[in-house]
Amino acid sequence: MRSANNEKPLVHVVDDDASMRSALKGLFDSVGLQTESYATAEDFLSANLTDRPGCIVLDVRLPGVNGLEFQGRLTQIGVGIPVVMMTGFGDIPMSVHAMKHGAVDFLPKPFRDQDMLDAVMAAIERDRQRRVIENDISQLRERFETLSPREQEVMLHVTAGKMNKQVAGDLGISEITVKIHRGAAMHKMGARTYAELVRMADVLKPDRRKLGR
């Protein structure tokens, strides 16, 4: 994705019906939301997306990859932009499938403008929250990488609930050395208390599994 300083929300409309794309653009323009439109799922996937808050308004019936398949592909490739589904041929199984896979809402056509705006605003707010969480996790991982390999080992051992003496025995080092590495890890991670360090280690579960091999 292209990084952008402009944090104004962007709504991606994916629908093969040109008149629907135009109508939605006009609706979102009326409340100050910028819109990018795509006729197919492939058009969206090949686009050079800007990195900013937003959501995807997605039609179920699309040529090639349909909306439900596209929703699954987004998850597979790690695109976390929230989705609002819409269809003129919706049924309960489709709605359940979409919601189970993370759709914010599922709107049958024709829908009220206000219902669409409510769904889009909710999706944008969810995306803002997701981005804050991902940024926090990214910063934690960057701090974790500043630890030496031994400091990482000590941090992951002590946050697993082991006493300093146990960690010393597991790693073949002195208890004093464990305390030194533990203090250094807390300082570099910005943890004021042991409880904070435990919460940080819990967020870094993938790193814990990798180092535990």
Side-chain angles (χ1 to χ4, degrees):
M1 287 188 177
R2 287 182 287 117
S3 178
N5 292 324
N6 183 0
E7 289 296 305
K8 184 177 180 180
L10 177 62
V11 181
H12 304 274
V13 176
V14 186
D15 194 317
D16 61 329
D17 184 340
S19 62
M20 177 58 71
R21 295 198 303 272
S22 177
L24 287 173
K25 184 179 187 309
L27 175 63
F28 299 141
D29 284 348
S30 72
V31 293
L33 293 173
Q34 187 174 341
T35 308
E36 292 286 351
S37 298
Y38 316 85
T40 67
E42 288 82 0
D43 288 346
F44 176 90
L45 292 171
S46 63
N48 189 15
L49 304 178
T50 53
D51 183 16
R52 55 199 279 195
C55 69
I56 302 171
V57 176
L58 178 64
D59 188 36
V60 169
R61 306 286 179 174
L62 292 171
V65 178
N66 68 41
L68 295 178
E69 293 169 340
F70 176 56
Q71 184 187 19
R73 186 176 296 182
L74 290 176
T75 301
Q76 291 175 356
I77 64 177
V79 175
I81 305 174
V83 172
V84 174
M85 303 287 287
M86 58 181 178
T87 181
F89 307 94
D91 57 18
I92 292 176
M94 279 186 177
S95 177
V96 170
H97 183 283
M99 299 300 281
K100 278 186 175 180
H101 287 76
V104 175
D105 211 335
F106 189 95
L107 301 178
K109 297 177 181 177
F111 45 77
R112 295 192 312 127
D113 287 352
Q114 191 59 51
D115 289 341
M116 174 58 75
L117 290 175
D118 289 345
V120 164
M121 292 303 185
I124 289 172
E125 180 56 29
R126 180 186 292 187
D127 196 42
R128 288 191 188 280
Q129 294 174 3
R130 173 187 68 87
R131 291 162 64 86
V132 168
I133 292 170
E134 288 183 352
N135 182 62
D136 290 345
I137 293 173
S138 177
Q139 290 184 17
L140 276 183
R141 287 184 177 144
E142 288 177 4
R143 291 182 207 166
F144 187 73
E145 290 301 318
T146 68
L147 273 59
S148 70
R150 181 62 84 187
E151 289 166 352
Q152 290 180 353
E153 284 184 315
V154 169
M155 172 181 165
L156 296 181
H157 276 73
V158 299
T159 55
K162 295 181 179 180
M163 303 295 290
N164 290 339
K165 186 175 181 179
Q166 291 175 292
V167 177
D170 289 344
L171 300 181
I173 57 179
S174 70
E175 191 172 344
I176 291 296
T177 302
V178 170
K179 290 179 180 179
I180 292 172
H181 287 314
R182 174 175 172 165
M186 289 186 67
H187 175 70
K188 291 180 181 179
M189 292 299 296
R192 293 167 295 181
T193 65
Y194 169 71
E196 280 190 6
L197 194 67
V198 170
R199 286 194 291 271
M200 291 175 179
D202 189 54
V203 170
L204 296 169
K205 283 183 212 175
D207 301 281
R208 180 193 292 275
R209 288 195 296 268
K210 181 179 178 181
L211 288 172
R213 291 175 183 171

